Amino acid sequence: MTASFANPVLVIGSGLAGLMTALSLAPLPVLLVTRALAGGESSSQWAQGGVAAALGADDDAERHGEDTLAAGDGLCDSHAVRAVTGAARSAIEALQSFGVRFDFNPDGTLAAGLEAAHSRRRILHVGGDGSGAEIVRALVARAQETPSIRIVEASLVRHLLTRQGSVCGALVTGPQGDDVIAASRIVLATGGLGGLFEATTNPCGHLGQGVALAARAGAVLADMEFVQFHPTALEGRTRPLGLISEAVRGEGAILVNERGERFMSAWPGAELAARDVVARAISAQLQRGGKVFLDARAALGHGFAARFPAIHALCMEAGVDPAVQPVPVRPAAHYHMGGVLTDLNGRTSLSGLWAAGEVACTGLHGANRLASNSLLEAAVMGARVAADIRRMSVPEVISPVPVPACCAQDDGAEVRAITSAHLGVLRHEAGVRAAVEGLLPLATADGPQRDAAIVALCMAVFAHERRESRGAHARTDYPLPQADASRQFMGLDAVLVRARAILSHSHARSA
């Protein structure tokens, strides 16, 4: 490493949050480590919907905040809501300055679409329904030409190294083997955990690696039980499942079952109700043995391909022409509202460690994410993390303590089977206990499933402790919300203690 890159800011991940952080830090030296090619295999790259930003003449940040709070079902951090929605304009301007070209109307105003649970048209797109790919492409191009950013591809961070209560580096495995990188400022931007489920719209390799890294290093986690299942993934054999964006329903497409019944019509908001509501309603139809279809024939017809070219191609590839046929859909794991607890500058509970994007939990989303707030949060928090790091003096580099070679991680198949069976859209006591029982041995052994099992175990324990139904967490044995519900925070040690107590209580009761 050259002298100019001694003690760089280490950014882990190359989705929107990681790229925004790195670009906003310039000219401070940044080492950006990504397991694939820059921008590749990120959920940001796959995002269809766009960026939620209240920029219209009939809209404002306060109204956007109200919609966010309503979707979050009582558990949003109001300070986070105000901070993120209030920074939308500056985030859009920053993205534009980095080369992102948003779609405009003929009159020169930003084109804005409507998505579920938004009271105004405020979803900004780039290249129609390929927003995420276009945003990431532009940011990668800018990062590659920025002298202060060094990108290391095809490399996986295996351990966060700590000393004297602070992070001091990371163990990275790359094409040339293991390497220890000394860094006193580390930013996690590793994305979510949708790959822990069989039915997912995320890259299958997203197993919550950043959460596992932070948890093993001693950071506090928050809201791990809340996994948002997108209501309308394209039903099929391919994995991950293709996503049929909410924007299609925003243009008037309806949901029907195999009998042609529009089963969402009785719900407030109908097809544009919050995601948790629609996902549960679809799951109930599937659980009785039925089928569910998204019908865009009347709303879009032969205009479907022009309005949603990428989704049209996805459907045609699966043998369905959405212009003339209803599209078979089902819920699939899509976004994690929980993660590594951070403040509004992205600081975690571990000194020297920041987190931004889906790996982090600011409290913005509460129990359920409002559509397209994810890209907004990634952009806003990436910039806030960078600003926070720029304000502080550079900490002294502490030589990392050598660590033993770590066990290679596999694809998480065993963990995926457990989470899919017991931690899906509809949960109950016996299933959550079964998940804890299956995951605890994997999480405490130094085997290839360890990190995935740690993340899934945290999800299961948090889900066990929330004895109510709220937002994306639905308990069939506790169908009603509690009046005094609050957010949950635990470190890994506390999760392990609670997991053993759950199993001990279960065994005592059955004895």
Side-chain angles (χ1 to χ4, degrees):
M1 186 177 297
T2 63
S4 62
F5 274 86
N7 191 21
V9 179
L10 176 60
V11 176
I12 307 170
S14 63
L16 174 53
L19 290 165
M20 191 72 173
T21 301
L23 288 166
S24 300
L25 279 167
L28 293 183
V30 171
L31 185 65
L32 190 151
V33 177
T34 179
R35 64 180 180 177
L37 296 177
E41 294 187 19
S42 70
S43 291
S44 299
Q45 187 184 39
W46 292 14
Q48 296 170 344
V51 185
L55 305 184
D58 65 341
D59 203 3
D60 55 41
E62 184 176 356
R63 184 174 280 109
H64 186 181
E66 290 170 355
D67 292 345
T68 299
L69 290 168
D73 205 5
L75 287 190
C76 293
D77 182 307
S78 60
H79 300 291
V81 172
R82 284 195 295 272
V84 174
T85 58
R89 184 176 297 277
S90 61
I92 297 303
E93 291 172 350
L95 288 170
Q96 289 175 314
S97 75
F98 292 141
V100 175
R101 297 184 176 182
F102 288 94
D103 296 343
F104 281 81
N105 294 312
D107 65 1
T109 59
L110 282 165
L114 179 67
E115 289 186 359
H118 285 272
S119 59
R120 295 290 187 274
R121 299 181 73 91
R122 63 168 70 102
I123 313 305
L124 308 185
H125 295 267
V126 185
D129 58 355
S131 297
E134 287 301 308
I135 291 171
V136 169
R137 182 198 59 75
L139 297 187
V140 167
R142 181 58 61 90
Q144 289 173 333
E145 64 187 31
T146 301
S148 60
I149 300 174
R150 177 181 171 191
I151 300 174
V152 178
E153 299 176 322
S155 297
L156 185 66
V157 177
R158 307 299 296 276
H159 284 293
L160 295 181
L161 307 176
T162 61
R163 197 168 180 184
Q164 300 174 10
S166 300
V167 296
C168 59
L171 176 66
V172 181
T173 300
Q176 307 304 317
D178 290 344
D179 186 24
V180 173
I181 296 175
S184 57
R185 297 159 298 173
I186 299 178
V187 182
L188 287 174
T190 53
L193 49 67
L196 291 175
F197 293 87
E198 296 285 356
T200 182
T201 64
N202 296 169
C204 293
H206 280 208
L207 306 177
Q209 289 92 339
V211 171
L213 287 171
R216 284 195 281 109
V220 175
L221 309 180
D223 302 340
M224 287 293 296
E225 68 271 38
F226 294 116
V227 179
Q228 183 174 81
F229 289 80
H230 197 289
T232 53
L234 177 61
E235 178 68 277
R237 297 180 180 274
T238 60
R239 291 295 182 272
L241 296 178
L243 179 65
I244 309 299
S245 171
E246 224 142 26
V248 179
R249 282 175 278 140
E251 296 299 324
I254 61 172
L255 289 164
V256 297
N257 60 23
E258 78 282 2
R259 297 190 290 260
E261 298 166 340
R262 188 183 176 190
F263 58 89
M264 287 303 303
S265 60
W267 293 90
E271 280 79 10
L272 292 180
R275 284 180 173 174
D276 61 304
V277 174
V278 182
R280 286 199 298 268
I282 293 175
S283 293
Q285 294 288 326
L286 300 178
Q287 206 168 55
R288 66 164 180 80
K291 295 182 179 181
V292 174
F293 301 88
L294 184 64
D295 191 346
R297 292 175 296 180
L300 292 166
H302 290 285
F304 193 106
R307 177 65 181 86
F308 300 106
I311 298 174
H312 180 265
L314 184 72
C315 292
M316 295 296 287
E317 195 174 304
V320 180
D321 184 349
V324 296
Q325 295 173 278
V327 180
V329 294
R330 61 160 298 168
H334 185 59
Y335 189 86
H336 186 216
M337 279 72 74
V340 185
L341 178 65
T342 76
D343 66 11
L344 292 181
N345 289 316
R347 293 193 185 197
T348 73
S349 61
L350 186 60
S351 179
L353 181 67
W354 288 258
E358 192 173 354
V359 68
C361 184
T362 62
L364 168 69
H365 308 298
N368 186 48
R369 176 178 68 100
L370 182 66
S372 290
N373 268 357
S374 51
L375 291 185
L376 174 64
E377 182 187 37
V380 169
M381 291 307 298
R384 290 181 74 103
V385 166
D388 192 50
I389 293 173
R390 291 172 65 86
R391 283 192 295 266
M392 66 183 296
S393 58
V394 180
E396 180 184 356
V397 180
I398 303 173
S399 298
V401 176
V403 295
C406 42
C407 179
Q409 304 296 298
D410 66 12
D411 66 357
E414 189 174 353
V415 173
R416 190 177 295 116
I418 295 170
T419 55
S420 299
H422 302 302
L423 298 173
V425 176
L426 302 174
R427 302 166 176 175
H428 53 79
E429 178 89 13
V432 173
R433 276 204 318 269
V436 172
E437 187 167 21
L439 293 166
L440 183 58
L442 298 174
T444 52
D446 189 20
Q449 301 272 349
R450 180 195 60 185
D451 280 7
I454 284 173
V455 178
L457 179 66
C458 292
M459 190 196 313
V461 169
F462 275 65
H464 181 275
E465 300 303 277
R466 185 165 294 284
R467 295 178 177 88
E468 64 165 349
S469 289
R470 182 178 297 276
H473 173 72
R475 290 275 300 254
T476 58
D477 49 347
Y478 293 98
L480 300 177
Q482 292 181 347
D484 59 348
S486 60
R487 298 174 64 199
Q488 298 187 92
F489 311 96
M490 275 187 268
L492 180 57
D493 288 345
V495 167
L496 294 174
V497 168
R498 190 65 197 122
R500 294 185 179 104
I502 290 167
L503 296 185
S504 176
H505 179 72
S506 174
H507 295 154
R509 192 168 55 182
S510 61

